[in-house]
């Protein structure tokens, strides 16, 4: 990753902040995006204000917002080598048939539509430079139905298909598009001491993504499954 410019979308979330830290340690120039300038500043301060870290305030909640995000990212760096979309928080509520439409729509917008808009805005920036990558992060709820979190599972399944469609339509272009589907809970700072030792950490997610990007042979599948900690970094 040394010298490459990578955009982390959702950089101040529990997973995103670990991605930023690991990619910086791998030598990348990181453009961290977040809707919260305060959280971006907190992240920068916590990491010691590294010169290789730039922040961009913005998100992908609408076409207009995503377009502004793309313009602002381009203003930081004319060339982007890759991007990772770490978008969406967990949701739990009533059974699916008792879920209010506005709650269902909100989860789909946050966890699926935002991925579509982020890719629509950022992938064209990566295509300006050969051998780029665009990775989405998802969870096993896309394949395992989670009672009382039905909209999350539905959005996750849609995200996996979104990845497959983007990948199929990018065939022949100088970019790899993949989703990393993590099968354990991700042990973020928000969990505090309540962490199962088997859970994968955000920095381990980042290490696996770095290994994927470094190995051309790992581009076989649209959706890559990371099932346990022992598999981190094993991509061939």
């Amino acid at each position: 990753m040394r010298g490459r410019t990578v955009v982390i979308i959702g950089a101040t979330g529990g997973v995103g902040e670990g991605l930023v830290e690991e990619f910086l340690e791998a030598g990348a120039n990181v453009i961290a995006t977040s809707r919260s300038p305060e959280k971006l500043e907190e992240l920068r301060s916590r990491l010691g204000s590294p010169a290789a870290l730039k922040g961009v305030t913005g998100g992908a909640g609408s076409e207009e917002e995503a377009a502004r995000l793309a313009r602002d990212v381009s203003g930081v760096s004319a060339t982007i080598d890759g991007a990772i979309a770490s978008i969406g928080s967990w949701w739990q509520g009533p059974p699916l048939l008792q879920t209010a439409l506005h709650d269902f729509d909100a989860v789909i917008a946050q966890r699926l539509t935002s991925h579509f808009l982020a890719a629509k805005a950022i992938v064209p920036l990566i295509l300006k430079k050969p051998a780029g990558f665009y990775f989405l992060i998802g969870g096993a709820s896309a394949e395992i139905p989670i009672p009382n979190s039905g909209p999350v599972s539905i959005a996750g399944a849609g995200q996996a298909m979104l990845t497959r469609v983007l990948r199929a339509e990018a065939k022949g272009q100088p970019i790899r598009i993949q989703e990393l589907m993590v099968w354990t809970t991700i042990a973020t700072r928000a969990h505090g001491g309540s962490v199962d030792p088997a859970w994968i950490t955000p920095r381990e997610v980042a290490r696996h993504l770095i290994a994927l990007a470094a190995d051309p042979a790992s581009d076989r599948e649209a959706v890559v499954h990371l099932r346990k900690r022992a598999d981190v970094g094993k991509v061939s």
Side-chain angles (χ1 to χ4, degrees), residues 13-15 86-94 103 106-108 110-111 137-157 159 182-186 188 190-191:
V15 177
S86 178
I87 300 173
S89 57
W90 190 252
W91 182 91
Q92 190 167 7
D103 288 332
V107 175
I108 298 299
Q110 183 194 60
R111 298 185 63 94
I137 297 176
S141 59
E143 296 192 6
I144 301 173
I146 308 295
N148 301 324
S149 293
V152 174
S153 288
I154 293 166
Q159 179 182 317
V182 183
W183 279 68
T184 76
T185 299
I186 300 178
T188 67
H191 288 101

Side-chain angles (χ1 to χ4, degrees), residues 116-141:
F116 161 65
L117 292 172
K120 186 176 180 181
I122 301 300
V123 166
L125 305 182
I126 302 168
L127 287 171
K128 294 179 180 179
K129 190 172 183 179
F133 62 85
Y134 188 90
F135 294 140
L136 303 83
I137 297 176
S141 59

Side-chain angles (χ1 to χ4, degrees), residues 143-194:
E143 296 192 6
I144 301 173
I146 308 295
N148 301 324
S149 293
V152 174
S153 288
I154 293 166
Q159 179 182 317
M161 183 52 71
L162 170 69
T163 304
R164 292 184 173 99
V165 172
L166 291 172
R167 180 182 170 92
E169 292 179 344
K171 188 174 182 179
Q173 299 186 68
I175 188 173
R176 62 186 298 176
I177 298 175
Q178 290 175 290
E179 176 183 318
L180 179 62
M181 186 179 290
V182 183
W183 279 68
T184 76
T185 299
I186 300 178
T188 67
R189 285 196 302 139
H191 288 101
S194 304

